[in-house]
Protein backbone atom coordinates (compact mmCIF):
# COMPACT_ATOMS: atom_id res chain seq x y z
CA UNK A 1 0.00 0.00 0.00
CA UNK A 2 1.25 3.46 -0.89
CA UNK A 3 0.17 6.89 0.31
CA UNK A 4 0.99 9.37 -2.45
CA UNK A 5 1.54 13.12 -2.27
CA UNK A 6 3.63 15.79 -3.98
CA UNK A 7 6.30 15.53 -1.27
CA UNK A 8 7.15 13.07 1.48
CA UNK A 9 6.39 15.66 4.16
CA UNK A 10 3.59 14.71 6.59
CA UNK A 11 0.13 15.92 5.60
CA UNK A 12 -2.25 17.11 8.33
CA UNK A 13 -5.91 16.12 8.29
CA UNK A 14 -8.48 18.91 7.98
CA UNK A 15 -8.74 19.23 11.78
CA UNK A 16 -4.93 19.33 12.03
CA UNK A 17 -4.75 16.71 14.78
CA UNK A 18 -3.76 13.70 12.70
CA UNK A 19 -0.75 13.46 10.40
CA UNK A 20 -0.46 11.17 7.39
CA UNK A 21 3.00 10.19 6.22
CA UNK A 22 3.23 9.81 2.42
CA UNK A 23 5.21 6.74 1.45
CA UNK A 24 6.07 8.07 -2.00
CA UNK A 25 5.58 11.07 -4.25
CA UNK A 26 3.32 11.48 -7.25
CA UNK A 27 6.39 11.47 -9.52
CA UNK A 28 8.32 8.61 -7.92
CA UNK A 29 5.61 6.13 -6.93
CA UNK A 30 4.66 3.02 -8.85
CA UNK A 31 1.48 2.39 -10.78
CA UNK A 32 -1.10 0.74 -8.52
CA UNK A 33 -3.55 -2.13 -8.96
CA UNK A 34 -6.27 -0.38 -6.95
CA UNK A 35 -6.48 3.40 -6.92
CA UNK A 36 -8.51 4.72 -3.98
CA UNK A 37 -9.28 8.42 -3.67
CA UNK A 38 -10.55 9.42 -0.20
CA UNK A 39 -12.87 12.38 0.34
CA UNK A 40 -13.17 15.12 2.90
CA UNK A 41 -12.56 18.86 2.98
CA UNK A 42 -9.03 18.42 1.62
CA UNK A 43 -10.41 17.30 -1.74
CA UNK A 44 -11.51 20.83 -2.65
CA UNK A 45 -8.20 22.32 -3.84
CA UNK A 46 -7.44 19.12 -5.76
CA UNK A 47 -10.49 19.63 -7.96
CA UNK A 48 -8.56 22.41 -9.75
CA UNK A 49 -5.05 20.92 -9.38
CA UNK A 50 -3.98 19.87 -12.88
CA UNK A 51 -0.90 18.03 -11.57
CA UNK A 52 -2.98 15.84 -9.25
CA UNK A 53 -5.63 15.29 -11.93
CA UNK A 54 -2.97 14.15 -14.42
CA UNK A 55 -1.57 11.76 -11.79
CA UNK A 56 -5.06 10.34 -11.13
CA UNK A 57 -5.56 9.83 -14.89
CA UNK A 58 -2.16 8.12 -15.22
CA UNK A 59 -2.83 5.80 -12.29
CA UNK A 60 -6.37 5.04 -13.46
CA UNK A 61 -5.16 4.06 -16.92
CA UNK A 62 -3.19 1.15 -15.44
CA UNK A 63 -5.27 0.25 -12.37
CA UNK A 64 -7.42 -2.86 -12.20
CA UNK A 65 -9.91 -0.90 -10.08
CA UNK A 66 -10.46 2.85 -9.78
CA UNK A 67 -12.24 3.67 -6.54
CA UNK A 68 -13.30 6.48 -4.24
CA UNK A 69 -14.98 6.95 -0.90
CA UNK A 70 -17.21 9.91 -0.10
CA UNK A 71 -16.27 13.08 -2.00
CA UNK A 72 -13.18 11.48 -3.48
CA UNK A 73 -15.56 10.80 -6.39
CA UNK A 74 -15.47 14.52 -7.18
CA UNK A 75 -11.73 14.27 -7.87
CA UNK A 76 -12.33 11.28 -10.14
CA UNK A 77 -14.87 13.48 -11.92
CA UNK A 78 -12.45 16.40 -12.20
CA UNK A 79 -9.91 13.99 -13.71
CA UNK A 80 -12.48 13.09 -16.37
CA UNK A 81 -13.03 9.53 -15.14
CA UNK A 82 -16.77 9.65 -14.40
CA UNK A 83 -18.16 10.82 -17.76
CA UNK A 84 -21.03 8.52 -18.70
CA UNK A 85 -20.43 6.26 -15.69
CA UNK A 86 -22.59 5.41 -12.69
CA UNK A 87 -21.20 6.76 -9.41
CA UNK A 88 -22.10 7.86 -5.90
CA UNK A 89 -20.73 10.15 -3.20
CA UNK A 90 -21.85 11.79 0.07
CA UNK A 91 -25.54 12.80 -0.10
CA UNK A 92 -24.80 16.51 0.46
CA UNK A 93 -22.70 16.72 -2.72
CA UNK A 94 -24.31 13.94 -4.74
CA UNK A 95 -25.87 16.27 -7.30
CA UNK A 96 -22.43 17.69 -8.16
CA UNK A 97 -21.51 14.36 -9.79
CA UNK A 98 -23.65 15.27 -12.82
CA UNK A 99 -21.49 18.37 -13.38
CA UNK A 100 -18.62 15.99 -14.13
CA UNK A 101 -20.72 13.95 -16.57
CA UNK A 102 -21.43 11.11 -14.15
CA UNK A 103 -24.71 9.28 -13.79
CA UNK A 104 -25.44 9.86 -10.07
CA UNK A 105 -26.86 6.81 -8.28
CA UNK A 106 -28.10 7.12 -4.67
CA UNK A 107 -26.68 3.92 -3.21
CA UNK A 108 -24.06 3.20 -0.56
CA UNK A 109 -21.75 1.55 -3.10
CA UNK A 110 -21.95 1.77 -6.88
CA UNK A 111 -19.94 -0.42 -9.22
CA UNK A 112 -19.65 0.40 -12.92
CA UNK A 113 -17.11 -1.94 -14.49
CA UNK A 114 -13.77 -1.29 -12.81
CA UNK A 115 -15.10 1.88 -11.15
CA UNK A 116 -16.27 1.44 -7.53
CA UNK A 117 -17.52 4.47 -5.60
CA UNK A 118 -18.76 4.66 -2.03
CA UNK A 119 -21.13 7.12 -0.40
CA UNK A 120 -20.41 8.97 2.83
CA UNK A 121 -17.85 7.91 5.41
CA UNK A 122 -19.82 5.05 7.00
CA UNK A 123 -20.49 3.56 3.55
CA UNK A 124 -16.73 3.05 3.43
CA UNK A 125 -17.15 -0.24 5.30
CA UNK A 126 -19.57 -1.55 2.66
CA UNK A 127 -17.28 -0.15 -0.04
CA UNK A 128 -14.25 -1.94 1.41
CA UNK A 129 -16.07 -5.27 1.43
CA UNK A 130 -17.17 -4.79 -2.20
CA UNK A 131 -13.57 -4.07 -3.21
CA UNK A 132 -12.29 -7.13 -1.33
CA UNK A 133 -14.95 -9.28 -3.01
CA UNK A 134 -13.92 -7.93 -6.42
CA UNK A 135 -10.26 -8.72 -5.72
CA UNK A 136 -10.46 -11.94 -3.68
CA UNK A 137 -14.02 -13.26 -3.93
CA UNK A 138 -17.12 -13.09 -1.76
CA UNK A 139 -15.86 -15.64 0.79
CA UNK A 140 -12.81 -13.46 1.56
CA UNK A 141 -15.06 -10.43 2.04
CA UNK A 142 -17.41 -12.41 4.28
CA UNK A 143 -14.49 -13.60 6.42
CA UNK A 144 -13.42 -10.00 6.93
CA UNK A 145 -17.00 -8.94 7.65
CA UNK A 146 -17.32 -11.62 10.32
CA UNK A 147 -13.88 -10.95 11.81
CA UNK A 148 -14.87 -7.28 12.19
CA UNK A 149 -18.35 -8.28 13.44
CA UNK A 150 -19.72 -5.84 10.90
CA UNK A 151 -23.50 -6.16 11.21
CA UNK A 152 -24.71 -2.57 11.43
CA UNK A 153 -27.76 -1.79 13.50
CA UNK A 154 -27.66 1.99 13.89
CA UNK A 155 -29.22 3.29 17.11
CA UNK A 156 -31.06 6.04 15.20
CA UNK A 157 -32.72 6.23 11.79
CA UNK A 158 -31.07 9.46 10.69
CA UNK A 159 -28.40 8.07 8.34
CA UNK A 160 -30.08 9.20 5.11
CA UNK A 161 -31.54 12.62 4.37
CA UNK A 162 -34.90 11.06 3.53
CA UNK A 163 -35.00 9.24 6.91
CA UNK A 164 -33.60 11.96 9.18
CA UNK A 165 -35.93 14.20 11.18
CA UNK A 166 -36.41 17.52 9.35
CA UNK A 167 -34.73 19.57 12.10
CA UNK A 168 -31.64 17.31 11.98
CA UNK A 169 -31.51 17.50 8.17
CA UNK A 170 -31.71 21.29 8.27
CA UNK A 171 -29.04 21.49 10.99
CA UNK A 172 -26.62 19.45 8.86
CA UNK A 173 -27.44 21.53 5.78
CA UNK A 174 -26.78 24.77 7.72
CA UNK A 175 -23.54 23.40 9.16
CA UNK A 176 -22.29 22.45 5.67
CA UNK A 177 -23.51 25.55 3.78
CA UNK A 178 -20.05 27.10 3.50
CA UNK A 179 -18.43 23.87 2.30
CA UNK A 180 -21.31 23.28 -0.11
CA UNK A 181 -20.96 26.80 -1.57
CA UNK A 182 -17.20 26.35 -1.93
CA UNK A 183 -17.65 23.05 -3.77
CA UNK A 184 -20.24 24.60 -6.06
CA UNK A 185 -17.84 27.47 -6.82
CA UNK A 186 -14.93 25.10 -7.47
CA UNK A 187 -17.09 22.87 -9.66
CA UNK A 188 -18.12 25.94 -11.66
CA UNK A 189 -14.44 26.91 -12.07
CA UNK A 190 -13.65 23.35 -13.18
CA UNK A 191 -16.43 23.48 -15.79
CA UNK A 192 -15.13 26.81 -17.10
CA UNK A 193 -11.50 25.65 -17.24
CA UNK A 194 -12.34 22.29 -18.83
CA UNK A 195 -14.38 23.88 -21.63
CA UNK A 196 -11.54 26.19 -22.67
Amino acid sequence: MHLFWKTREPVACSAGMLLFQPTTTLDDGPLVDVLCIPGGVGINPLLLDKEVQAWVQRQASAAQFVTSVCTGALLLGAAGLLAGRRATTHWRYHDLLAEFGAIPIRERVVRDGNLITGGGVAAGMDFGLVVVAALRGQAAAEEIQLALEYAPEPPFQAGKPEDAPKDILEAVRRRTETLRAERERITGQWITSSSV
Side-chain angles (χ1 to χ4, degrees):
M1 186 168 109
H2 298 282
L3 296 176
F4 292 85
W5 187 232
K6 294 178 181 182
T7 70
R8 289 181 186 257
E9 298 299 315
V11 178
C13 73
S14 59
M17 300 185 299
L18 182 64
L19 293 177
F20 293 92
Q21 181 65 55
T23 59
T24 189
T25 64
L26 301 181
D27 292 331
D28 295 336
L31 293 174
V32 296
D33 294 323
V34 178
L35 174 64
C36 184
I37 306 294
V41 176
I43 207 77
N44 288 6
L46 304 181
L47 300 179
L48 298 173
D49 189 321
K50 298 297 184 192
E51 178 186 1
V52 170
Q53 291 171 22
W55 176 83
V56 169
Q57 291 168 346
R58 195 169 48 254
Q59 286 289 343
S61 70
Q64 180 181 358
F65 291 101
V66 177
T67 73
S68 67
V69 176
C70 198
T71 54
L74 300 179
L75 179 53
L76 293 180
L81 301 174
L82 296 185
R85 300 190 75 184
R86 299 168 64 248
T88 194
T89 190
H90 188 281
W91 67 268
R92 188 69 167 106
Y93 312 100
H94 196 263
D95 61 308
L96 296 178
L97 290 173
E99 300 294 335
F100 298 106
I103 302 165
I105 305 294
R106 281 296 310 271
E107 293 179 10
R108 289 176 64 79
V109 181
V110 173
R111 183 168 178 188
D112 185 338
N114 76 331
L115 175 69
I116 304 173
T117 53
V121 174
M125 290 294 290
D126 297 358
F127 161 85
L129 293 172
V130 169
V131 172
V132 169
L135 290 168
R136 301 284 184 253
Q138 182 174 332
E142 288 175 339
E143 287 177 22
I144 291 170
Q145 182 178 2
L146 180 57
L148 296 177
E149 197 177 353
Y150 177 59
E153 294 179 17
F156 312 106
Q157 294 305 312
K160 297 180 191 175
E162 57 270 19
D163 296 339
K166 289 186 191 222
D167 60 326
I168 300 298
L169 177 60
E170 289 310 311
V172 171
R173 283 189 170 144
R174 279 192 307 275
R175 197 175 71 241
T176 58
E177 277 178 2
T178 302
L179 182 57
R180 170 71 195 200
E182 181 182 356
R183 288 196 170 138
E184 288 175 354
R185 180 185 56 75
I186 290 169
T187 301
Q189 284 181 276
W190 178 86
I191 291 168
T192 301
S193 69
S194 65
S195 63
V196 177

